[in-house]
Amino acid sequence: MELNGLRVSRETQGRLQHFAELFQKWAKTINLVAPSTIDDLWRRHIADSAQIFQLHQKPARWADLGSGGGFPGIITAILLAEQKDGHVDLVESNQKKAAFLRVCLRECEARGAVHAVRIEEAPKIIVDCDVISARALAELDTLLDYAAPWVERNENVRLLLHKGRDYEREVQKARGRWEFDLVKHNSVVESDSVILELTRPRRRI
């Protein structure tokens, strides 16, 4: 099986399929994503989330902020299971969504843990990470504030962030308070979306 050109094993395909089944079941009772996108689950959410993993495929410690319906955090955790290394800390303050994420990790044998806390509290629990991911969570300026405690501990942290068509405005706004190195990756799933890869973020004095 391929996800955007990423070859995955039959075992991983089975894990992703089981996740899709769990998602469809839970989405009937709690709001995991916009209802209009559920019928396009594999392309709009699973394949879209896999793009982030493709930018950092080596085993790593991930912090996934505002994990919600599991995108991209659960998909990353499932893909890491194939590597038998790495870990995803999923941060989701909504208790019902956190319960869903825990079931997914357990039943899909994915590599991760769920922290049902506010993002501002997460650095007290998650001591270190190599990569920070987020999808449809907040503007870039706010995401950099969230990431700051981890960046202060590890200047090599990479941020991989899904953004929509308005990303250029967000980048310009963020540059008012932050300096950072930026690489833009065009989405292969959504023509008007990008993944922003940020390194070395630092506050302007």
Side-chain angles (χ1 to χ4, degrees), residues 41-59:
L41 175 63
W42 278 91
R43 186 185 69 87
R44 286 285 298 274
H45 299 295
I46 296 176
D48 192 39
S49 294
Q51 292 184 97
I52 279 194
F53 179 79
Q54 288 175 274
L55 297 175
H56 195 92
Q57 295 186 40
K58 59 187 177 182

Side-chain angles (χ1 to χ4, degrees), residues 18-19 22-23 26 30 32 67-71 73-74 77-78 88-118 125:
H18 186 54
F19 166 75
L22 289 169
F23 184 93
W26 281 69
I30 62 175
L32 295 174
S67 299
F71 309 113
I74 290 292
I78 289 174
V88 184
D89 287 299
L90 299 102
V91 181
E92 175 51 59
S93 62
N94 181 288
Q95 294 293 333
K96 290 183 179 179
K97 292 179 181 178
F100 162 71
L101 295 170
R102 290 191 181 100
V103 169
C104 291
L105 287 177
R106 183 176 67 251
E107 294 197 15
C108 297
E109 299 178 325
R111 300 185 63 86
V114 178
H115 307 280
V117 298
R118 291 174 53 83
I125 302 168

Side-chain angles (χ1 to χ4, degrees), residues 1 3 7-24 41-42 46 53 69-71 73-86 100-101 103-112:
M1 176 187 178
L3 281 173
R7 293 286 301 174
V8 300
S9 67
R10 184 176 299 177
E11 185 178 18
T12 296
Q13 181 178 353
R15 289 183 173 123
L16 291 169
Q17 182 62 50
H18 186 54
F19 166 75
E21 293 167 358
L22 289 169
F23 184 93
Q24 295 282 3
L41 175 63
W42 278 91
I46 296 176
F53 179 79
F71 309 113
I74 290 292
I75 306 306
T76 301
I78 289 174
L79 294 171
L80 285 174
E82 182 162 305
Q83 297 189 352
K84 298 180 172 59
D85 201 356
F100 162 71
L101 295 170
V103 169
C104 291
L105 287 177
R106 183 176 67 251
E107 294 197 15
C108 297
E109 299 178 325
R111 300 185 63 86

